[in-house]
Amino acid sequence: SENGPDVTIIDAQNTGSVVTFDSGESRGSVLDGFTVQNGAGNTTPYQGGGGIRCIGTRPTINNCIIKNNSTAGDGGGIYSVKATYDYGSPLITNCVISSNQAGDTGGGVMADLYSRPEIINCTIADNQADTGGGIHCYASETTLINCIISGNTASVLGGGLHCYNRSPNLTNCMITGNTVTGSSAGHGGGGISSFECTPVLNYCTLSGNTTNSYGGAVFCMSGGTIISNSILWNNSGSGGVSSELRGIGATFTVTYSDIEGGHAGIGNIDADPLFIDQAAGNFHLGLGSPCINTGNPAAAPEHDFEGEARLASAGGDDLPDMGADEFRLSREVGPAGSGYPFTTINSAISASD
């Protein structure tokens, strides 16, 4: 739309899905600048997709707000699945997917059987489902880059994200404040849960995620997780020595990461990352953080989750930082008493002493 999502609204008034792509649409089919709201999903051929349904299609969904949609099935906000035309590979960019609800899986997004969505520069927040409060990937090779997955709730598995049978790839993602409410055996994964697959996390930050069962940050069954250049700190879970990582028949491969409680692996540390203000949801690295200049330059993306340059990738002398955020002295908000933003060289030097 010309006027943007704040004023251009498509409202289904709780009668079926709001937008459906099911006729072989490709990248050239673009939904741009709309609010998509109050959808209730369809039941055939698949039950789901309160807001947007992509049935074997590859549309571009950009600069949209997808909110207050629901379904009794899967994918309260967006539902994608393989069908005759394509694997179901929407490109979802610069969107806010919030306050959606699924009766089964994928409160915000459901990437169903063999679909391959790309989700870039999106916020997926405050969604609810039984499994995969924010996102559920079922036999789906989902890619997430520069995304914020926050405040989502699941009752069984994967407050932020749950994946099964195929391995999603996450880069520069903030996964914070997600919750699993169930406490039975086999429940868990406040941030991420997985079953029979190996999700890959590179330059991600997981903090403030909670569960009443296994794995405050990550819970894996019959598979594993590859974690590099990431921060897992201040997540809460039970059922294991570590509240960060818990596996059943699973293997964790962790390198160049800050893991609360520690974890074996090259370049790993166990130290408070000194977020600027976690209580207020500010997970930028503060001055003096041990995560600064401790990442692996060989695996660094060009930018962090906000589009700021990773120094090593930009040809700088410094190493990249761990986590989704690359430290900047010019942050407008800093730790109490730090003097941010610094107005003189001397004030910056004094703060570093």
Side-chain angles (χ1 to χ4, degrees):
S1 71
E2 293 183 359
N3 297 317
D6 292 333
V7 295
T8 312
I9 299 171
I10 311 174
D11 191 323
Q13 300 182 1
N14 298 309
T15 56
S17 301
V18 185
V19 177
T20 298
F21 296 98
D22 63 357
S23 301
E25 289 88 352
S26 64
R27 285 284 184 266
S29 297
V30 179
L31 183 71
D32 191 324
F34 293 89
T35 288
V36 175
Q37 68 182 32
N38 295 328
N42 291 340
T43 58
T44 57
Y46 305 93
Q47 185 174 27
I52 299 174
R53 286 163 59 88
C54 301
I55 312 301
T57 54
R58 304 176 62 249
T60 299
I61 303 166
N62 180 59
N63 189 32
C64 289
I65 299 172
I66 300 137
K67 68 176 185 177
N68 298 332
N69 301 286
S70 64
T71 176
D74 307 312
I78 299 175
Y79 178 83
S80 172
V81 67
K82 180 183 183 295
T84 303
Y85 302 107
D86 183 78
Y87 278 92
S89 311
L91 174 63
I92 306 166
T93 58
N94 305 304
C95 290
V96 175
I97 304 166
S98 66
S99 302
N100 302 286
Q101 186 169 355
D104 196 357
T105 66
V109 179
M110 172 59 169
D112 207 351
L113 194 64
Y114 305 122
S115 64
R116 299 173 179 174
E118 297 176 66
I119 306 173
I120 303 171
N121 297 330
C122 290
T123 295
I124 302 166
D126 302 321
N127 303 285
Q128 298 181 29
D130 280 351
T131 297
I135 307 168
H136 185 207
C137 307
Y138 182 88
S140 165
E141 296 177 353
T142 302
T143 298
L144 293 112
I145 301 172
N146 302 343
C147 288
I148 297 172
I149 304 170
S150 180
N152 303 286
T153 302
S155 57
V156 179
L157 286 165
L161 179 149
H162 176 72
C163 50
Y164 167 72
N165 192 248
R166 292 288 190 277
S167 303
N169 195 307
L170 291 80
T171 303
N172 283 342
C173 289
M174 283 277 187
I175 304 169
T176 63
N178 302 286
T179 302
V180 172
T181 58
S183 58
S184 300
H187 291 189
I192 296 173
S193 65
S194 66
F195 182 52
E196 294 184 349
C197 61
T198 305
V200 178
L201 282 65
N202 191 31
Y203 287 95
C204 292
T205 297
L206 286 79
S207 186
N209 302 290
T210 63
T211 175
N212 292 319
S213 190
Y214 300 142
V218 180
F219 175 44
C220 294
M221 297 173 285
S222 301
T225 305
I226 298 172
I227 301 171
S228 58
N229 306 290
S230 295
I231 300 171
L232 280 67
W233 197 268
N234 196 32
N235 299 283
S236 175
S238 61
V241 175
S242 172
S243 61
E244 305 300 326
L245 302 171
R246 177 64 193 269
I248 299 176
T251 301
F252 294 101
T253 303
V254 184
T255 57
Y256 294 95
S257 294
D258 186 9
I259 310 295
E260 185 171 12
H263 198 283
I266 298 172
N268 292 333
I269 61 174
D270 175 12
D272 188 336
L274 299 180
F275 297 129
I276 285 179
D277 191 347
Q278 178 171 330
N282 189 336
F283 294 92
H284 292 99
L285 299 178
L287 185 68
S289 170
C291 298
I292 296 171
N293 294 341
T294 50
N296 179 7
E302 186 175 353
H303 299 95
D304 72 358
F305 83 113
E306 294 175 311
E308 296 179 335
R310 296 273 183 189
L311 298 183
S313 297
D317 294 330
D318 291 339
L319 297 173
D321 303 339
M322 293 177 178
D325 172 53
E326 189 75 11
F327 173 76
R328 290 290 183 274
L329 273 176
S330 58
R331 299 285 180 217
E332 294 183 0
V333 179
S338 69
Y340 280 13
F342 300 119
T343 56
T344 67
I345 293 175
N346 286 338
S347 65
I349 293 172
S350 296
S352 66
D353 290 339

